[in-house]
Structures are given as structure tokens and as C-alpha cells.
Amino acid sequence: MNIIAIMSDVSAYFKEEPLRELHEELERQGFRIAYPKDRADLLKLIENNARLCGVIFDWDKYNLELCEEISQLNKILPIYAFANSYSTLDVTMNDLRLNVRFFEYALGTSGDIATKIRQSTDDYIDTLLPPLTKALFKYVKEEKYTFCTPGHMGGTAFEKSPAGSLFFDFFGENTMRADISISVSELGSLLDHSGPHKEAEEYIARTFNAERSYIVTNGTSTANKIVGMYSSPAGSTLLIDRNCHKSLTHLLMMSNVVPVYLRPTRNAYGILGGIPKEEFTRASIEEKVKNTPNATWPVHAVITNSTYDGLFYNTDYIKQTLDVKSIHFDSAWVPYTNFHPIYAGKSGMSGERVPGKVIYETQSTHKLLAAFSQASMIHVKGDINERTFNEAYMMHTTTSPHYGIVASTETAAAMMKGNAGKRLIYGSIDRAIRFRKEIRRLRAESDGWFFDVWQPDNIDEVACWPLNPRNEWHGFSKIDNDHMYLDPIKVTILTPGMSPMGTLEDTGIPASIVSKYLDEHGIIVEKTGPYNLLFLFSIGIDKTKALSLLRALTDFKRVYDLNLRVKNVLPSLYQEAPEFYKDVRIQDLAQGIHALVKHHNLPDLMYRAFDVLPQMVMTPHDAFQEEVRGNAHECPLDDLIGKVNANMILPYPPGVPVIMPGEMLTEESRPVLSFLQMLCEIGAHYPGFETDIHGVYRDDDGKYVVSVLNDGGA
């Protein structure tokens, strides 16, 4: 961070020469100097260059208005003003409140001015750094000798080995030296929440509008289990979104609780919608409890918000309506909701605490903010027993946390503070909406087919767009007013072949083919459905990446319309089965898979597969205990009806369980089996298009098998 911008008025020699001296002195001290052409150029430089550490300008020419514009972009950026025509008596009290220091044009003073700029720069960097990160940087610079873990000793051990030295050179010295032991007392303790670790969590809580926050170093999968272990004692009943992440279904297998499921809707694209309003009412929950063996009134509820595909709830309604002691919003995909007004009333930490309830929100800091993988946070509003909660926290937290992950979590919070952080989220939303409009423009101008976007017709308003029963674009047959909203940052591209309400057309392009083409061209899709592709416009997505995606989509249309050979269009797929694909053309492949989808009537099958839940014979916890005792065996997938499942079965995408441990498929829930069989059949017909299904395995003979409990689990 060493760039200084100078906005000078060099019309007079008495101004030009002192600035020339200052330029030379600043360069001697290691600063780089940039000269914006005008006010607009300067503001763009500040907006697009985070390494800028100060602005020097001529007060006689620019004065207060420029200071205010700079402050809108970065409130704490040091500003230096040279004034001659105006005396300091002309500076108002308002001017002095701004982060500005005044100098005079005078020869021979450049050394003193450069020293003051260096001091202000150091103070600026010190202010930017959050507490734990600052303490970690300081510790690394001290280069202490340690006789504790980790064994690589700041990278020294790596450099004693040829393989290790390659590893060291790739990751760099500071990465090694910042990987330190929990024994370093001056950094406090993540497990005890003391010292700089405590300060970091307090800093995060203030930033994310929480009363208490916890840093978690093994992802939101772990954060979810921590909240669940504290909130749901053994023998209690848990109200849980059937559209939950598998970390929460694993919680059900670990904890001896009785699950009662809240059931979301689903559309023909396989996009999971929201849980209807009625499901949150007391009457609906009473009915669910009555029909669930051994269930009592739930003590805790878990809701996925937002969904994988970017659907938010009206969380104010849920907080006020759900009659439980605590509510956990699994918000792994949306750690940015506190930093733009369009998310107000749509997140766990939005608004004030709810009397008599505890609200939790877990967020994957690494998913859509700037943090290392596994960085996550738990936010709390309401009264908890912090000592007991910390026991649950320590059950799932390593005693050797990676301080780089911890510091990156805190730094992600620091990046979101103030106007600079809000600008990052505003930029993400703006780029996503521009991209959406560009797809629609290209579709309107296209000769023949082109991709579409899953969104309402009018997206001119910057908002989370509501889903309502009057429109068909969303494809949900049952939807409530003022309940679900689409996040503009989550962009779902639609491929030809299916209407929003599930009508299959004569021809189609399954999205899996487009996904493989994009992968060949260096673009990774977040999620691929039957006729839809999900892209996340996080703060790390810039104009270049967005344009590259547009170019790749238009290139796919060109090669598809030319009907090129698979071996030329998808060489990686061809390498998987050269004999099968040697004469296949891209349109043949698309129509072949599309014909299988039509044969099985995928939209209808998905509706029916998720309309009826399998029968719960025993809790997930009890079923898993039977499996670890060895009371389970393999069963052909085709023979699953009437058997009690030992493991969860969960197809990707969307990564939501269709069968839980302890559940049994009956004739009523046979569509679940038909859905799984269809996924397996597509993979069997077309090499390279196998669906990843957790809990379904291929045996040595190539047949699909599952694990079921002995004697049907009876």
C-alpha cells in the first residue's frame, strides 16, 4: 500500500517546484506517485485501486467539495491539501472534521512533509487492520524462536527438503510464519475467546449487526452443528427445513433428536423454492408433531436462507410466527446481507432482537466475501448461556486452528466496514443486473435460440425481486405474497428445452452439456440443473470475468448451431469414452439426453418425488447407530421399496436429501425411487454424465446399490 495520488495546479512556478521536490522525496521513501488528469479521474483511481494510501491536492483549486467526494469512497483515506491563496482562517469547522492535513507551498520542506505523510500512512494502515490480524502481523515480524507446534517452524523444515522447498516457494514465507501454535499467548485463544481473538469476534459482531459472533475455522458445516448441539438437547424435537445442507442432516445423525420437517416447494428446473407461509403456523406444526412418532413441541427451528439458488424469505414474518425458543437461519450463501438496504428484513441479523427468542445466523465468509476456504461465522441475537454454548463450540473446533483462516475471517469483516464495504456489494449487484440485461439483449437480437435468465421481466429496480402467484416466470405453482424474494447476485441461466411451468419442448439443450463446454474454456459453473446453470456474482467477479462468460455462451451457440463433433467441442468428454463419442455430434448428444428426460417426464417426476416424504421408521440418529453396530447390508437400488435406509441419499445438484437414514420408501413414495433410477439411467447411457448421488454406490458388477438396515429396520 504505497501509492500517492497528486492533483496539482502547476500554473505557477512557486507551486510546481515544491511539488517536484516532494515527488522525489516520496519516491525515495518507497512511494509510487500517480497523477490523475482531473477530479473524475482521481475518483475512479480511488474506486479501482485499493492500494492507494493518500491524496495530495491544491486547496485553492479543489477544496472542500473534493474532500467530501473522497470521503464518500473512503472515509479514512488520508488527504493532504496545499494552500496558499487561502489562509487557515478560511478553513471552516466542517473542513477540519474531514481527514485532511494542510501544507504550504515552500521550497526545502519536502523532507518534513514526506515524513508526515509516512506517519499518516502508517496510522492509516494501523486503522485498517482489525485487531487479531494486526496482532498476527506484529508477531510474524518479531521472528521469535518457538519450540512448539507446528513442526515446520515457520517454513524452516520445508526448506530442508526438495519437495518441501517447492511447497514453501509456492505459498510464500509469510504464509508459513503466520501458521503458528495456539501456545502463542499474546494472540489469545480462539477456544477461550480471549485476547485478540475476543477482540476479533467483537469487531465482527459490530460489523454484522449481531450481539455476539463466533469465528469458525471448519466452514458453516461445523457452525451448523455447533448451533444444533447447543439448541437441541437429546430427546427434544427439532423443526428443520427439508431443504437443508447435509451438515444439518449429519447433525440429526449425531444428535438423539426427533426431526419434524418443514417442506419447501420445487419447480420444474429443480430449483428449491421456499417453505410456504402456512408451514410456520402453530396449527401446521401441531399437525406435524401429531403425525411424527415420539415428537414433542419443537424447541428449535432451522431454516435455509437464502436457498442455493438465491431465494430469500421475509424473515420478519418467520421470527414473529414460529413458536419456538430459537431459530437458526443457515445463511451460508449470503454473508453480505447487512451491507445493502435491499436485504433489510430478509436475513437473520436484520433488525432488532425478538423478545423471548434467540436468533442464530451462520454464514460462510469464504463463499461470497473475501476469506480463505473454511472461514465461517456464527452470529447470535438473544440470550444464550455462553459457557454452555462454548462447550458445543469446542466439541467441533480443532485445538490447532489455522490462524490464516481466522485472520481472513476478520479481514473479510474489515473489508465490509463503512462506505468502502457497501460499495463492494453495490458493485456486485450492479454487475449482476448488467449481466442479466445483456443476456436478455442478446436473446432478443439472436438468430434462432439463445439462453435466457430466470428472473422477472422488469429488473430495472435494484431490489430483491418478489415471487408472487400472479407470475409464471418462477415456475412455482404454490407461492405466497410478500414471502420469497430473488437475490440479484445469484444469476440462473436457462437453456432451451423446458418452460418455467415444466412443459418439455420437442428439442432441448440439457444444461450439463453447456456446463462441460464452459469448463473446457476455463469457466466453472456453481451449480448445474437439468436446464439451468447457476453463477454467483460475488465481490470477486469483475467486468472481465463477466464478459468472458458472455463470450463463452455466445461461442457455445455458434458451435452448437454448426453441429460440430463432440471430440472437437468437448475433448475431455471424448477422452472418457472415445469409442462411444467418436462419431457423435453436439446436437445428437443434446437431443439424446433431452429424449431421455422427456421419456421419464422429468418435471412431473420431480414434483411427485418431492411431494411425498418417505415414511420415518426411526430417527436418523437411531438408524446410524444401527449401521455402526453392523446391522446393515447392501441392497440393489431397484429393490429399495420396503427397506429402511441406513444412510442419507442425496443427489448433486441440488445437494438436498431425498431419503434420510431411518426412512423407508413405500408405494406412495415410489416416485423418489423413479427419480433416482432416471439419474442413474442417464449416466449409464451417456458416459461422463453420471450424477453424483451421495449414498448410492456402484458395485463391482456396475449395479447401483444402497445401504439398508437388516430386517427392514424393524
Side-chain angles (χ1 to χ4, degrees), residues 616-655:
M616 185 194 296
V617 176
M618 62 178 70
T619 66
H621 172 270
D622 289 346
F624 184 64
Q625 292 303 308
E626 287 299 308
E627 184 178 25
V628 296
R629 292 186 184 106
N631 297 328
H633 64 277
E634 285 188 351
C635 163
L637 176 65
D638 295 342
D639 297 336
L640 192 53
I641 299 293
K643 310 289 195 312
V644 178
N645 224 59
N647 288 320
M648 75 173 94
I649 295 180
L650 179 147
Y652 289 96

Short mmCIF file of all heavy atoms in Angstrom, two decimals, residues 616-655:
data_model
loop_
_atom_site.label_atom_id
_atom_site.label_comp_id
_atom_site.label_asym_id
_atom_site.label_seq_id
_atom_site.Cartn_x
_atom_site.Cartn_y
_atom_site.Cartn_z
N MET A 616 -40.95 -42.25 8.02
CA MET A 616 -39.91 -42.30 9.05
C MET A 616 -40.18 -43.50 9.97
O MET A 616 -41.18 -43.52 10.71
CB MET A 616 -39.87 -41.02 9.88
CG MET A 616 -38.72 -40.99 10.88
SD MET A 616 -38.84 -39.70 12.15
CE MET A 616 -38.75 -38.23 11.16
N VAL A 617 -39.29 -44.49 9.94
CA VAL A 617 -39.42 -45.67 10.79
C VAL A 617 -38.68 -45.46 12.10
O VAL A 617 -39.12 -45.87 13.17
CB VAL A 617 -38.88 -46.92 10.06
CG1 VAL A 617 -38.90 -48.15 10.97
CG2 VAL A 617 -39.68 -47.17 8.79
N MET A 618 -37.54 -44.80 12.03
CA MET A 618 -36.76 -44.45 13.22
C MET A 618 -36.02 -43.16 12.94
O MET A 618 -35.93 -42.71 11.79
CB MET A 618 -35.80 -45.56 13.61
CG MET A 618 -34.74 -45.88 12.56
SD MET A 618 -33.60 -47.18 13.11
CE MET A 618 -34.69 -48.60 13.06
N THR A 619 -35.51 -42.53 13.97
CA THR A 619 -34.80 -41.25 13.78
C THR A 619 -33.49 -41.48 13.04
O THR A 619 -32.93 -42.59 13.08
CB THR A 619 -34.50 -40.59 15.13
OG1 THR A 619 -33.56 -41.40 15.86
CG2 THR A 619 -35.77 -40.38 15.95
N PRO A 620 -32.96 -40.45 12.38
CA PRO A 620 -31.65 -40.59 11.73
C PRO A 620 -30.56 -41.03 12.70
O PRO A 620 -29.68 -41.80 12.33
CB PRO A 620 -31.39 -39.18 11.19
CG PRO A 620 -32.75 -38.59 10.98
CD PRO A 620 -33.58 -39.14 12.09
N HIS A 621 -30.62 -40.56 13.94
CA HIS A 621 -29.63 -40.94 14.95
C HIS A 621 -29.68 -42.44 15.23
O HIS A 621 -28.65 -43.13 15.21
CB HIS A 621 -29.88 -40.16 16.25
CG HIS A 621 -29.04 -40.60 17.40
ND1 HIS A 621 -29.45 -41.59 18.28
CD2 HIS A 621 -27.82 -40.21 17.82
CE1 HIS A 621 -28.52 -41.77 19.19
NE2 HIS A 621 -27.52 -40.95 18.93
N ASP A 622 -30.90 -42.97 15.46
CA ASP A 622 -31.03 -44.39 15.77
C ASP A 622 -30.63 -45.27 14.58
O ASP A 622 -30.02 -46.32 14.75
CB ASP A 622 -32.47 -44.71 16.20
CG ASP A 622 -32.80 -44.12 17.57
OD1 ASP A 622 -31.86 -43.72 18.29
OD2 ASP A 622 -34.00 -44.06 17.91
N ALA A 623 -30.97 -44.80 13.37
CA ALA A 623 -30.62 -45.57 12.18
C ALA A 623 -29.10 -45.64 12.01
O ALA A 623 -28.55 -46.71 11.69
CB ALA A 623 -31.25 -44.94 10.94
N PHE A 624 -28.42 -44.54 12.25
CA PHE A 624 -26.97 -44.55 12.11
C PHE A 624 -26.33 -45.43 13.17
O PHE A 624 -25.33 -46.12 12.91
CB PHE A 624 -26.42 -43.12 12.18
CG PHE A 624 -24.93 -43.04 11.95
CD1 PHE A 624 -24.39 -43.41 10.72
CD2 PHE A 624 -24.07 -42.61 12.96
CE1 PHE A 624 -23.02 -43.35 10.50
CE2 PHE A 624 -22.71 -42.55 12.75
CZ PHE A 624 -22.18 -42.92 11.52
N GLN A 625 -26.89 -45.41 14.37
CA GLN A 625 -26.35 -46.28 15.42
C GLN A 625 -26.48 -47.76 15.03
O GLN A 625 -25.58 -48.56 15.31
CB GLN A 625 -27.07 -46.02 16.75
CG GLN A 625 -26.79 -44.64 17.35
CD GLN A 625 -25.31 -44.40 17.57
OE1 GLN A 625 -24.61 -45.22 18.18
NE2 GLN A 625 -24.81 -43.29 17.06
N GLU A 626 -27.58 -48.10 14.38
CA GLU A 626 -27.73 -49.47 13.90
C GLU A 626 -26.66 -49.80 12.86
O GLU A 626 -26.10 -50.89 12.84
CB GLU A 626 -29.13 -49.67 13.30
CG GLU A 626 -30.25 -49.72 14.33
CD GLU A 626 -30.07 -50.89 15.29
OE1 GLU A 626 -29.89 -52.03 14.83
OE2 GLU A 626 -30.08 -50.64 16.52
N GLU A 627 -26.39 -48.84 12.00
CA GLU A 627 -25.39 -49.09 10.95
C GLU A 627 -24.00 -49.28 11.55
O GLU A 627 -23.26 -50.19 11.16
CB GLU A 627 -25.37 -47.94 9.94
CG GLU A 627 -24.40 -48.23 8.78
CD GLU A 627 -24.39 -47.13 7.74
OE1 GLU A 627 -24.73 -45.98 8.06
OE2 GLU A 627 -24.03 -47.43 6.59
N VAL A 628 -23.61 -48.43 12.52
CA VAL A 628 -22.27 -48.57 13.09
C VAL A 628 -22.15 -49.85 13.93
O VAL A 628 -21.04 -50.35 14.15
CB VAL A 628 -21.85 -47.33 13.91
CG1 VAL A 628 -21.76 -46.10 13.03
CG2 VAL A 628 -22.79 -47.08 15.08
N ARG A 629 -23.29 -50.39 14.36
CA ARG A 629 -23.25 -51.68 15.05
C ARG A 629 -23.11 -52.84 14.06
O ARG A 629 -22.98 -53.99 14.45
CB ARG A 629 -24.53 -51.88 15.88
CG ARG A 629 -24.65 -50.94 17.08
CD ARG A 629 -25.87 -51.30 17.93
NE ARG A 629 -26.04 -50.36 19.01
CZ ARG A 629 -26.99 -49.41 19.05
NH1 ARG A 629 -27.85 -49.31 18.06
NH2 ARG A 629 -27.07 -48.59 20.08
N GLY A 630 -23.18 -52.53 12.78
CA GLY A 630 -23.05 -53.57 11.77
C GLY A 630 -24.36 -54.17 11.32
O GLY A 630 -24.35 -55.16 10.59
N ASN A 631 -25.46 -53.58 11.75
CA ASN A 631 -26.78 -54.13 11.41
C ASN A 631 -27.31 -53.55 10.09
O ASN A 631 -28.41 -53.00 10.02
CB ASN A 631 -27.77 -53.86 12.54
CG ASN A 631 -27.37 -54.55 13.83
OD1 ASN A 631 -26.76 -55.62 13.78
ND2 ASN A 631 -27.68 -53.94 14.96
N ALA A 632 -26.47 -53.62 9.05
CA ALA A 632 -26.86 -53.09 7.75
C ALA A 632 -26.22 -53.94 6.66
O ALA A 632 -25.23 -54.63 6.89
CB ALA A 632 -26.43 -51.63 7.62
N HIS A 633 -26.80 -53.87 5.46
CA HIS A 633 -26.24 -54.62 4.33
C HIS A 633 -26.56 -53.86 3.04
O HIS A 633 -27.41 -52.97 3.01
CB HIS A 633 -26.82 -56.03 4.28
CG HIS A 633 -28.30 -56.07 4.02
ND1 HIS A 633 -29.23 -55.91 5.01
CD2 HIS A 633 -29.01 -56.24 2.87
CE1 HIS A 633 -30.44 -55.98 4.51
NE2 HIS A 633 -30.35 -56.18 3.21
N GLU A 634 -25.87 -54.24 1.96
CA GLU A 634 -26.12 -53.63 0.67
C GLU A 634 -27.37 -54.23 0.03
O GLU A 634 -27.67 -55.41 0.18
CB GLU A 634 -24.92 -53.83 -0.26
CG GLU A 634 -23.74 -52.94 0.07
CD GLU A 634 -22.65 -53.03 -0.98
OE1 GLU A 634 -22.73 -53.90 -1.86
OE2 GLU A 634 -21.72 -52.21 -0.91
N CYS A 635 -28.08 -53.34 -0.67
CA CYS A 635 -29.32 -53.74 -1.33
C CYS A 635 -29.34 -53.08 -2.71
O CYS A 635 -28.97 -51.91 -2.84
CB CYS A 635 -30.51 -53.28 -0.49
SG CYS A 635 -32.10 -53.24 -1.34
N PRO A 636 -29.75 -53.80 -3.77
CA PRO A 636 -29.87 -53.15 -5.08
C PRO A 636 -30.82 -51.96 -5.01
O PRO A 636 -31.86 -52.02 -4.35
CB PRO A 636 -30.44 -54.26 -5.97
CG PRO A 636 -30.04 -55.53 -5.29
CD PRO A 636 -30.08 -55.24 -3.82
N LEU A 637 -30.45 -50.89 -5.67
CA LEU A 637 -31.29 -49.69 -5.67
C LEU A 637 -32.71 -50.03 -6.13
O LEU A 637 -33.69 -49.52 -5.55
CB LEU A 637 -30.67 -48.62 -6.59
CG LEU A 637 -31.48 -47.33 -6.78
CD1 LEU A 637 -31.60 -46.56 -5.47
CD2 LEU A 637 -30.85 -46.46 -7.86
N ASP A 638 -32.85 -50.88 -7.11
CA ASP A 638 -34.18 -51.22 -7.65
C ASP A 638 -35.07 -51.90 -6.63
O ASP A 638 -36.30 -51.92 -6.80
CB ASP A 638 -34.03 -52.10 -8.88
CG ASP A 638 -33.34 -51.38 -10.04
OD1 ASP A 638 -33.30 -50.13 -10.02
OD2 ASP A 638 -32.85 -52.07 -10.95
N ASP A 639 -34.47 -52.48 -5.56
CA ASP A 639 -35.25 -53.21 -4.56
C ASP A 639 -35.46 -52.40 -3.28
O ASP A 639 -35.74 -52.96 -2.22
CB ASP A 639 -34.54 -54.53 -4.20
CG ASP A 639 -34.43 -55.46 -5.39
OD1 ASP A 639 -35.25 -55.34 -6.32
OD2 ASP A 639 -33.51 -56.31 -5.39
N LEU A 640 -35.37 -51.08 -3.37
CA LEU A 640 -35.36 -50.25 -2.16
C LEU A 640 -36.73 -50.13 -1.49
O LEU A 640 -36.82 -49.87 -0.29
CB LEU A 640 -34.82 -48.85 -2.51
CG LEU A 640 -34.46 -47.92 -1.35
CD1 LEU A 640 -33.49 -48.58 -0.38
CD2 LEU A 640 -33.87 -46.61 -1.87
N ILE A 641 -37.80 -50.32 -2.24
CA ILE A 641 -39.15 -50.19 -1.65
C ILE A 641 -39.29 -51.19 -0.50
O ILE A 641 -38.98 -52.37 -0.61
CB ILE A 641 -40.24 -50.46 -2.70
CG1 ILE A 641 -40.14 -49.46 -3.85
CG2 ILE A 641 -41.63 -50.41 -2.06
CD1 ILE A 641 -40.45 -48.04 -3.49
N GLY A 642 -39.77 -50.67 0.67
CA GLY A 642 -39.98 -51.51 1.83
C GLY A 642 -38.76 -51.72 2.70
O GLY A 642 -38.84 -52.37 3.74
N LYS A 643 -37.62 -51.15 2.31
CA LYS A 643 -36.40 -51.27 3.11
C LYS A 643 -36.15 -49.95 3.85
O LYS A 643 -36.48 -48.87 3.36
CB LYS A 643 -35.19 -51.57 2.22
CG LYS A 643 -35.37 -52.74 1.24
CD LYS A 643 -35.38 -54.06 1.96
CE LYS A 643 -35.18 -55.23 0.99
NZ LYS A 643 -36.01 -55.20 -0.22
N VAL A 644 -35.54 -50.07 5.04
CA VAL A 644 -35.22 -48.87 5.82
C VAL A 644 -33.79 -48.45 5.50
O VAL A 644 -32.85 -49.23 5.66
CB VAL A 644 -35.37 -49.13 7.34
CG1 VAL A 644 -34.97 -47.88 8.13
CG2 VAL A 644 -36.80 -49.52 7.66
N ASN A 645 -33.65 -47.22 5.05
CA ASN A 645 -32.33 -46.75 4.61
C ASN A 645 -31.40 -46.54 5.80
O ASN A 645 -31.82 -46.05 6.86
CB ASN A 645 -32.48 -45.44 3.84
CG ASN A 645 -31.65 -45.41 2.60
OD1 ASN A 645 -31.83 -46.26 1.73
ND2 ASN A 645 -30.72 -44.48 2.52
N ALA A 646 -30.12 -46.91 5.62
CA ALA A 646 -29.13 -46.72 6.68
C ALA A 646 -28.44 -45.36 6.55
O ALA A 646 -28.04 -44.77 7.54
CB ALA A 646 -28.09 -47.84 6.64
N ASN A 647 -28.25 -44.89 5.31
CA ASN A 647 -27.59 -43.61 5.07
C ASN A 647 -28.55 -42.65 4.36
O ASN A 647 -29.54 -43.08 3.78
CB ASN A 647 -26.35 -43.79 4.18
CG ASN A 647 -25.22 -44.46 4.92
OD1 ASN A 647 -24.99 -44.18 6.08
ND2 ASN A 647 -24.53 -45.38 4.25
N MET A 648 -28.21 -41.38 4.38
CA MET A 648 -28.99 -40.45 3.59
C MET A 648 -28.64 -40.65 2.11
O MET A 648 -27.52 -41.04 1.77
CB MET A 648 -28.72 -39.00 4.01
CG MET A 648 -27.39 -38.44 3.56
SD MET A 648 -27.23 -36.68 3.91
CE MET A 648 -26.39 -36.75 5.50
N ILE A 649 -29.62 -40.41 1.25
CA ILE A 649 -29.40 -40.42 -0.20
C ILE A 649 -29.66 -39.00 -0.69
O ILE A 649 -30.72 -38.43 -0.47
CB ILE A 649 -30.32 -41.43 -0.90
CG1 ILE A 649 -29.97 -42.85 -0.44
CG2 ILE A 649 -30.21 -41.31 -2.41
CD1 ILE A 649 -30.81 -43.94 -1.08
N LEU A 650 -28.65 -38.48 -1.38
CA LEU A 650 -28.65 -37.05 -1.67
C LEU A 650 -27.99 -36.81 -3.03
O LEU A 650 -26.79 -36.97 -3.18
CB LEU A 650 -27.87 -36.36 -0.53
CG LEU A 650 -27.63 -34.88 -0.50
CD1 LEU A 650 -27.61 -34.41 0.95
CD2 LEU A 650 -26.32 -34.51 -1.15
N PRO A 651 -28.79 -36.49 -4.07
CA PRO A 651 -28.21 -36.23 -5.39
C PRO A 651 -27.65 -34.80 -5.48
O PRO A 651 -28.21 -33.86 -4.90
CB PRO A 651 -29.39 -36.39 -6.35
CG PRO A 651 -30.55 -36.82 -5.51
CD PRO A 651 -30.25 -36.47 -4.11
N TYR A 652 -26.53 -34.66 -6.20
CA TYR A 652 -25.98 -33.34 -6.52
C TYR A 652 -26.16 -33.10 -8.02
O TYR A 652 -25.74 -33.93 -8.83
CB TYR A 652 -24.47 -33.30 -6.21
CG TYR A 652 -24.15 -33.31 -4.76
CD1 TYR A 652 -23.84 -34.50 -4.11
CD2 TYR A 652 -24.12 -32.13 -4.02
CE1 TYR A 652 -23.53 -34.51 -2.76
CE2 TYR A 652 -23.79 -32.14 -2.68
CZ TYR A 652 -23.50 -33.33 -2.06
OH TYR A 652 -23.18 -33.34 -0.73
N PRO A 653 -26.66 -31.94 -8.45
CA PRO A 653 -27.32 -30.98 -7.58
C PRO A 653 -28.73 -31.45 -7.24
O PRO A 653 -29.20 -32.39 -7.86
CB PRO A 653 -27.35 -29.72 -8.46
CG PRO A 653 -27.43 -30.25 -9.86
CD PRO A 653 -26.64 -31.52 -9.86
N PRO A 654 -29.43 -30.78 -6.31
CA PRO A 654 -29.00 -29.59 -5.59
C PRO A 654 -28.35 -29.88 -4.25
O PRO A 654 -28.10 -28.96 -3.48
CB PRO A 654 -30.31 -28.83 -5.40
CG PRO A 654 -31.32 -29.92 -5.20
CD PRO A 654 -30.86 -31.08 -6.05
N GLY A 655 -28.10 -31.14 -3.91
CA GLY A 655 -27.47 -31.44 -2.63
C GLY A 655 -28.45 -31.45 -1.47
O GLY A 655 -28.09 -31.08 -0.36
#
